[in-house]
Structure formats: C-alpha cells, structure tokens
Amino acid sequence: MRITVNGKETELEREVNIAGLLEQGYVEMQEYVTVQVNDIIVQKNEYDGFIIKEGDIIEFLYYMGGGN
C-alpha cells in the first residue's frame, strides 16, 4: 500500500492505524505530535481506530510556541 508521509512516498506492507505508524518510528516525541490525514486533524483518542488507507497523505506536525 502506498501512502505519503511528510511529503515522502512510502510503501507499507500491511494495513496499519495511526498508533502503528507512530510506533514504527516515523516521529520523535510522539506525545507532542499532531497527526493530519488528508487535511483533517485526527484526535489522539482516535489513533487506535483510524486505519490508514491506500493513497492517504499523512503529516506529522509539531506546534512550537515562543517569540515576542
């Protein structure tokens, strides 16, 4: 199955949920990441039940604070 993760095409051998992608090491600091699938922000409590599908575009986003 082909998906896009943070702008890079990726091949997955089997169906996986968002929690599974996070466990595969696609991100650092999992507790701080926000996941967007096909332009929709997915809530953390939905990660286990949200199955990634062929052609999905996944973005792992980190929001940083700071500045004046």
Side-chain angles (χ1 to χ4, degrees), residues 1-8 16 18 21 34-43 46-47 50-61:
M1 167 171 54
R2 294 178 90 69
I3 63 171
T4 303
V5 178
N6 288 342
K8 294 176 66 177
V16 67
I18 292 175
L21 278 181
T34 298
V35 180
Q36 177 178 304
V37 179
N38 301 326
D39 295 325
I40 297 170
I41 300 293
V42 180
Q43 300 300 312
E46 299 175 12
Y47 287 3
F50 197 104
I51 304 299
I52 302 302
K53 297 174 182 57
E54 176 80 27
D56 278 350
I57 299 171
I58 296 98
E59 296 290 333
F60 295 118
L61 310 169

